[in-house]
Amino acid sequence: MSTWEGTQMVESIDLDTYGTRFREDPHSVYAELRALGPVHRVRLPPPEDMDDTYVVVGYEECRSALRDPRFAKSAAAAGFAFHEEELIGTHLLIADPPQHTRLRALITREFTARRVEGMRPRIQSITDGLLDEMLVHGESATARRADLLEAFAFQLPITVICELLGVPDIDRSTFRRLSNGVVASPDQEAERAAFEELAAFLAELVEAKRRSGQGEDLLSALIRTTDDEGGDRLSTAELRGMAFLLLIAGHETTVNLIANAVHALFTHPAQLAALRADMSLLDGAIEEALRYEGPLESATYRFATEPTELGGVVIPTGAIVRIGLAAANRDPGRFPEPDGFDIRRAAQGHMAFGHGLHHCLGAPLARVEAKIALGSLLERCPGLAPDGPPGEWLPGTLIRGVRRLPVRW
């Protein structure tokens, strides 16, 4: 299949032809694509199952695309109607300036570095409690084995983000089902159903917080906050959208950051031994894990608002653009020997949290959680080791993570 863009014939690559390899080892597929060029017109495999999508796989081209205002985050700007904005409300990941500028200014008044730093003792306390349950008190303690994803990597971020937002006693199993349904659904119908159920929950949560008006949590603060000039504040739909963003993005990415870091250390035992011998390497290990197997395979969709040349390819108006963060982080032009995992590497400049205007607002919190989680886990479990192969990788090209991570100690 091919199409003419300007005077250039752009071949379309059906990524489904790569079969299971694209899910199990997308890095090898991206490397093959990058050898052919930094930008490609593709058909995404299920569950996205989308034709005429442009995938960016070169580091410099990804950085450029993430900064380019012609690639809009709002689907409406390119004539699309995506159910996320319709059901959930507007949030930072689907807004462009000046709306994005306004939303980010209101949110950063409350979601500050000081608030994140103030959470360190509580994050450590939650971590210690979860490890006590896994290692000492729980059923897995006797067997000395557990699914680390279920017992720890999932539990820590959801507890932290729920306390941050003031979400009372959420049904964790239900939330995990909805969260996975939103970011890694097996099909579009299931994805929409997850969005609808989550939207109803968030609407009730925002209304309950508004009625109370007393909480010191972040969501209550966002309901009360106004700017210094005109008294602008977040609307009900915007509050629902921001609650969605903080709950899903703040939880899902950190779950997979922790699990992927442990998985990378397991598959590189010399690096694990080096880290155990010198825990001052922990910050570097986390940054290398973010580069090597970050929790986001791609940035969320962008939409071309005009014909735009990128990497020698003209991307037409209305095209959907997927910026490959994982592909950029394995570009040998930026990171020598990119398929190696080296905790002493200078991994700065990786794009695991994006780049530019939409750089992840929650990156500092994710790093704090990951450092406390990984440091405490290795300290408390000197014999930590894999207990068989991990579960399959999640479907889709957005989230990069495994479904389970069996360990023993």
mmCIF file of all heavy atoms in Angstrom, residues 15 42 46 100 133 144 151 160 165 176 184 186 198 212 223 243 256 262 278 281 299 302 308 320 364 367 404:
data_model
loop_
_atom_site.group_PDB
_atom_site.id
_atom_site.type_symbol
_atom_site.label_atom_id
_atom_site.label_comp_id
_atom_site.label_asym_id
_atom_site.label_seq_id
_atom_site.Cartn_x
_atom_site.Cartn_y
_atom_site.Cartn_z
ATOM 1 N N LEU A 15 2.744 -3.128 10.705
ATOM 2 C CA LEU A 15 3.523 -3.651 11.830
ATOM 3 C C LEU A 15 2.993 -4.990 12.332
ATOM 4 O O LEU A 15 3.696 -5.698 13.052
ATOM 5 C CB LEU A 15 3.552 -2.625 12.965
ATOM 6 C CG LEU A 15 4.260 -1.307 12.634
ATOM 7 C CD1 LEU A 15 4.234 -0.369 13.836
ATOM 8 C CD2 LEU A 15 5.705 -1.541 12.190
ATOM 9 N N VAL A 42 2.766 3.849 8.911
ATOM 10 C CA VAL A 42 2.549 2.456 9.299
ATOM 11 C C VAL A 42 1.071 2.184 9.545
ATOM 12 O O VAL A 42 0.253 3.097 9.668
ATOM 13 C CB VAL A 42 3.336 2.105 10.590
ATOM 14 C CG1 VAL A 42 4.814 2.364 10.432
ATOM 15 C CG2 VAL A 42 2.777 2.864 11.794
ATOM 16 N N PRO A 46 -3.305 -4.625 16.224
ATOM 17 C CA PRO A 46 -4.262 -4.611 17.328
ATOM 18 C C PRO A 46 -3.503 -4.528 18.662
ATOM 19 O O PRO A 46 -2.399 -5.037 18.776
ATOM 20 C CB PRO A 46 -4.993 -5.952 17.187
ATOM 21 C CG PRO A 46 -4.810 -6.327 15.744
ATOM 22 C CD PRO A 46 -3.458 -5.800 15.363
ATOM 23 N N HIS A 100 -3.425 24.543 27.332
ATOM 24 C CA HIS A 100 -2.450 23.777 28.094
ATOM 25 C C HIS A 100 -1.704 24.674 29.070
ATOM 26 O O HIS A 100 -1.467 24.296 30.235
ATOM 27 C CB HIS A 100 -1.464 23.100 27.135
ATOM 28 C CG HIS A 100 -0.371 22.342 27.817
ATOM 29 N ND1 HIS A 100 0.788 22.947 28.257
ATOM 30 C CD2 HIS A 100 -0.256 21.035 28.160
ATOM 31 C CE1 HIS A 100 1.563 22.042 28.815
ATOM 32 N NE2 HIS A 100 0.961 20.877 28.770
ATOM 33 N N GLU A 133 4.497 -7.003 54.586
ATOM 34 C CA GLU A 133 3.416 -7.915 54.222
ATOM 35 C C GLU A 133 3.918 -9.010 53.277
ATOM 36 O O GLU A 133 3.567 -10.180 53.422
ATOM 37 C CB GLU A 133 2.277 -7.131 53.562
ATOM 38 C CG GLU A 133 1.093 -7.960 53.124
ATOM 39 C CD GLU A 133 0.374 -8.649 54.284
ATOM 40 O OE1 GLU A 133 0.473 -8.154 55.426
ATOM 41 O OE2 GLU A 133 -0.281 -9.682 54.040
ATOM 42 N N ARG A 144 8.304 -17.901 50.432
ATOM 43 C CA ARG A 144 9.424 -17.049 50.020
ATOM 44 C C ARG A 144 9.409 -16.790 48.515
ATOM 45 O O ARG A 144 10.443 -16.749 47.853
ATOM 46 C CB ARG A 144 10.759 -17.652 50.458
ATOM 47 C CG ARG A 144 10.899 -17.796 51.972
ATOM 48 C CD ARG A 144 12.240 -18.399 52.365
ATOM 49 N NE ARG A 144 13.348 -17.512 52.031
ATOM 50 C CZ ARG A 144 13.764 -16.500 52.797
ATOM 51 N NH1 ARG A 144 13.140 -16.219 53.934
ATOM 52 N NH2 ARG A 144 14.797 -15.758 52.439
ATOM 53 N N ALA A 151 2.233 -7.860 44.427
ATOM 54 C CA ALA A 151 2.450 -7.641 45.851
ATOM 55 C C ALA A 151 3.089 -6.296 46.173
ATOM 56 O O ALA A 151 2.918 -5.779 47.280
ATOM 57 C CB ALA A 151 3.330 -8.758 46.415
ATOM 58 N N VAL A 160 0.145 5.514 46.953
ATOM 59 C CA VAL A 160 0.694 6.873 46.990
ATOM 60 C C VAL A 160 -0.221 7.849 46.249
ATOM 61 O O VAL A 160 -0.560 8.916 46.763
ATOM 62 C CB VAL A 160 2.117 6.903 46.389
ATOM 63 C CG1 VAL A 160 2.591 8.341 46.191
ATOM 64 C CG2 VAL A 160 3.092 6.152 47.290
ATOM 65 N N LEU A 165 -4.206 12.252 46.082
ATOM 66 C CA LEU A 165 -5.452 12.838 45.586
ATOM 67 C C LEU A 165 -6.578 12.794 46.610
ATOM 68 O O LEU A 165 -7.605 13.447 46.423
ATOM 69 C CB LEU A 165 -5.899 12.116 44.316
ATOM 70 C CG LEU A 165 -5.059 12.380 43.068
ATOM 71 C CD1 LEU A 165 -5.558 11.547 41.904
ATOM 72 C CD2 LEU A 165 -5.080 13.846 42.691
ATOM 73 N N ARG A 176 -7.410 -1.421 39.063
ATOM 74 C CA ARG A 176 -6.387 -1.982 38.183
ATOM 75 C C ARG A 176 -7.007 -2.461 36.876
ATOM 76 O O ARG A 176 -6.424 -2.285 35.801
ATOM 77 C CB ARG A 176 -5.662 -3.132 38.884
ATOM 78 C CG ARG A 176 -4.477 -3.631 38.074
ATOM 79 C CD ARG A 176 -3.689 -4.680 38.807
ATOM 80 N NE ARG A 176 -2.472 -4.973 38.079
ATOM 81 C CZ ARG A 176 -1.634 -5.949 38.398
ATOM 82 N NH1 ARG A 176 -1.885 -6.701 39.442
ATOM 83 N NH2 ARG A 176 -0.551 -6.159 37.690
ATOM 84 N N ALA A 184 -4.115 -0.374 28.079
ATOM 85 C CA ALA A 184 -3.657 -1.590 27.389
ATOM 86 C C ALA A 184 -4.820 -2.535 27.159
ATOM 87 O O ALA A 184 -4.771 -3.715 27.478
ATOM 88 C CB ALA A 184 -2.567 -2.284 28.196
ATOM 89 N N PRO A 186 -7.532 -4.908 25.165
ATOM 90 C CA PRO A 186 -7.391 -5.821 24.033
ATOM 91 C C PRO A 186 -8.131 -5.360 22.787
ATOM 92 O O PRO A 186 -7.845 -5.829 21.684
ATOM 93 C CB PRO A 186 -7.981 -7.137 24.572
ATOM 94 C CG PRO A 186 -8.928 -6.715 25.650
ATOM 95 C CD PRO A 186 -8.305 -5.506 26.269
ATOM 96 N N LEU A 198 -14.723 4.525 34.361
ATOM 97 C CA LEU A 198 -13.800 5.372 35.103
ATOM 98 C C LEU A 198 -14.304 6.810 35.170
ATOM 99 O O LEU A 198 -14.180 7.478 36.198
ATOM 100 C CB LEU A 198 -12.413 5.319 34.466
ATOM 101 C CG LEU A 198 -11.264 5.970 35.225
ATOM 102 C CD1 LEU A 198 -11.127 5.387 36.625
ATOM 103 C CD2 LEU A 198 -9.959 5.818 34.456
ATOM 104 N N SER A 212 -17.447 18.571 50.194
ATOM 105 C CA SER A 212 -16.717 18.613 51.461
ATOM 106 C C SER A 212 -15.959 19.927 51.631
ATOM 107 O O SER A 212 -16.118 20.621 52.621
ATOM 108 C CB SER A 212 -15.747 17.434 51.543
ATOM 109 O OG SER A 212 -14.889 17.562 52.633
ATOM 110 N N ILE A 223 -9.495 21.923 43.436
ATOM 111 C CA ILE A 223 -10.859 22.456 43.387
ATOM 112 C C ILE A 223 -10.887 23.884 43.905
ATOM 113 O O ILE A 223 -11.587 24.753 43.364
ATOM 114 C CB ILE A 223 -11.814 21.555 44.211
ATOM 115 C CG1 ILE A 223 -12.009 20.217 43.490
ATOM 116 C CG2 ILE A 223 -13.164 22.236 44.426
ATOM 117 C CD1 ILE A 223 -12.766 19.185 44.305
ATOM 118 N N ALA A 243 -7.962 14.598 37.425
ATOM 119 C CA ALA A 243 -7.977 13.445 38.328
ATOM 120 C C ALA A 243 -7.646 12.178 37.543
ATOM 121 O O ALA A 243 -6.892 11.310 38.008
ATOM 122 C CB ALA A 243 -9.331 13.324 39.010
ATOM 123 N N ASN A 256 5.185 0.333 36.178
ATOM 124 C CA ASN A 256 6.044 -0.302 35.184
ATOM 125 C C ASN A 256 7.490 0.171 35.262
ATOM 126 O O ASN A 256 8.397 -0.569 34.874
ATOM 127 C CB ASN A 256 5.456 -0.090 33.791
ATOM 128 C CG ASN A 256 4.138 -0.817 33.641
ATOM 129 O OD1 ASN A 256 4.066 -2.034 33.765
ATOM 130 N ND2 ASN A 256 3.062 -0.083 33.417
ATOM 131 N N VAL A 262 13.460 -3.755 37.906
ATOM 132 C CA VAL A 262 13.815 -5.043 38.509
ATOM 133 C C VAL A 262 14.064 -6.093 37.425
ATOM 134 O O VAL A 262 15.035 -6.859 37.480
ATOM 135 C CB VAL A 262 12.707 -5.513 39.477
ATOM 136 C CG1 VAL A 262 12.988 -6.929 39.978
ATOM 137 C CG2 VAL A 262 12.592 -4.557 40.660
ATOM 138 N N ASP A 278 27.394 -1.282 45.525
ATOM 139 C CA ASP A 278 27.537 0.172 45.649
ATOM 140 C C ASP A 278 26.192 0.837 45.392
ATOM 141 O O ASP A 278 25.846 1.155 44.260
ATOM 142 C CB ASP A 278 28.584 0.677 44.643
ATOM 143 C CG ASP A 278 28.820 2.180 44.752
ATOM 144 O OD1 ASP A 278 28.224 2.826 45.645
ATOM 145 O OD2 ASP A 278 29.604 2.707 43.945
ATOM 146 N N LEU A 281 25.035 3.932 43.247
ATOM 147 C CA LEU A 281 24.710 3.836 41.816
ATOM 148 C C LEU A 281 23.201 3.784 41.565
ATOM 149 O O LEU A 281 22.777 3.672 40.415
ATOM 150 C CB LEU A 281 25.355 2.583 41.209
ATOM 151 C CG LEU A 281 26.884 2.538 41.213
ATOM 152 C CD1 LEU A 281 27.369 1.158 40.773
ATOM 153 C CD2 LEU A 281 27.452 3.622 40.302
ATOM 154 N N ALA A 299 4.868 8.160 23.104
ATOM 155 C CA ALA A 299 4.085 9.268 23.631
ATOM 156 C C ALA A 299 2.635 9.104 23.168
ATOM 157 O O ALA A 299 2.349 8.383 22.205
ATOM 158 C CB ALA A 299 4.648 10.596 23.130
ATOM 159 N N ARG A 302 -0.352 12.436 18.714
ATOM 160 C CA ARG A 302 -0.340 13.806 18.222
ATOM 161 C C ARG A 302 -0.987 13.808 16.847
ATOM 162 O O ARG A 302 -1.057 12.778 16.189
ATOM 163 C CB ARG A 302 1.083 14.359 18.159
ATOM 164 C CG ARG A 302 1.580 14.831 19.531
ATOM 165 C CD ARG A 302 3.084 14.984 19.566
ATOM 166 N NE ARG A 302 3.521 15.670 20.757
ATOM 167 C CZ ARG A 302 3.617 15.123 21.966
ATOM 168 N NH1 ARG A 302 3.275 13.865 22.132
ATOM 169 N NH2 ARG A 302 4.058 15.831 22.999
ATOM 170 N N THR A 308 3.761 18.678 7.301
ATOM 171 C CA THR A 308 4.975 18.939 8.071
ATOM 172 C C THR A 308 6.064 17.951 7.674
ATOM 173 O O THR A 308 5.866 16.734 7.742
ATOM 174 C CB THR A 308 4.688 18.804 9.587
ATOM 175 O OG1 THR A 308 3.625 19.684 9.950
ATOM 176 C CG2 THR A 308 5.921 19.139 10.407
ATOM 177 N N ILE A 320 -2.230 10.984 12.142
ATOM 178 C CA ILE A 320 -1.919 10.656 13.532
ATOM 179 C C ILE A 320 -0.430 10.350 13.625
ATOM 180 O O ILE A 320 0.119 9.617 12.798
ATOM 181 C CB ILE A 320 -2.747 9.459 14.008
ATOM 182 C CG1 ILE A 320 -4.242 9.799 13.970
ATOM 183 C CG2 ILE A 320 -2.343 9.032 15.415
ATOM 184 C CD1 ILE A 320 -5.144 8.618 14.259
ATOM 185 N N PRO A 364 9.129 13.910 38.828
ATOM 186 C CA PRO A 364 9.828 13.918 40.129
ATOM 187 C C PRO A 364 9.227 12.918 41.118
ATOM 188 O O PRO A 364 9.974 12.239 41.843
ATOM 189 C CB PRO A 364 9.651 15.364 40.619
ATOM 190 C CG PRO A 364 9.475 16.168 39.364
ATOM 191 C CD PRO A 364 8.687 15.274 38.451
ATOM 192 N N ARG A 367 10.286 9.342 40.158
ATOM 193 C CA ARG A 367 11.679 9.066 40.513
ATOM 194 C C ARG A 367 11.829 8.829 42.021
ATOM 195 O O ARG A 367 12.574 7.941 42.449
ATOM 196 C CB ARG A 367 12.569 10.229 40.069
ATOM 197 C CG ARG A 367 12.844 10.265 38.560
ATOM 198 C CD ARG A 367 13.847 11.348 38.218
ATOM 199 N NE ARG A 367 14.358 11.211 36.865
ATOM 200 C CZ ARG A 367 14.005 11.983 35.839
ATOM 201 N NH1 ARG A 367 13.090 12.940 36.016
ATOM 202 N NH2 ARG A 367 14.519 11.793 34.647
ATOM 203 N N ARG A 404 3.108 -9.854 34.871
ATOM 204 C CA ARG A 404 3.469 -10.408 36.174
ATOM 205 C C ARG A 404 4.986 -10.537 36.241
ATOM 206 O O ARG A 404 5.675 -10.604 35.214
ATOM 207 C CB ARG A 404 2.785 -11.750 36.434
ATOM 208 C CG ARG A 404 2.982 -12.788 35.366
ATOM 209 C CD ARG A 404 2.077 -14.008 35.560
ATOM 210 N NE ARG A 404 2.325 -14.671 36.822
ATOM 211 C CZ ARG A 404 3.258 -15.627 36.987
ATOM 212 N NH1 ARG A 404 4.014 -16.011 35.958
ATOM 213 N NH2 ARG A 404 3.434 -16.189 38.157
#
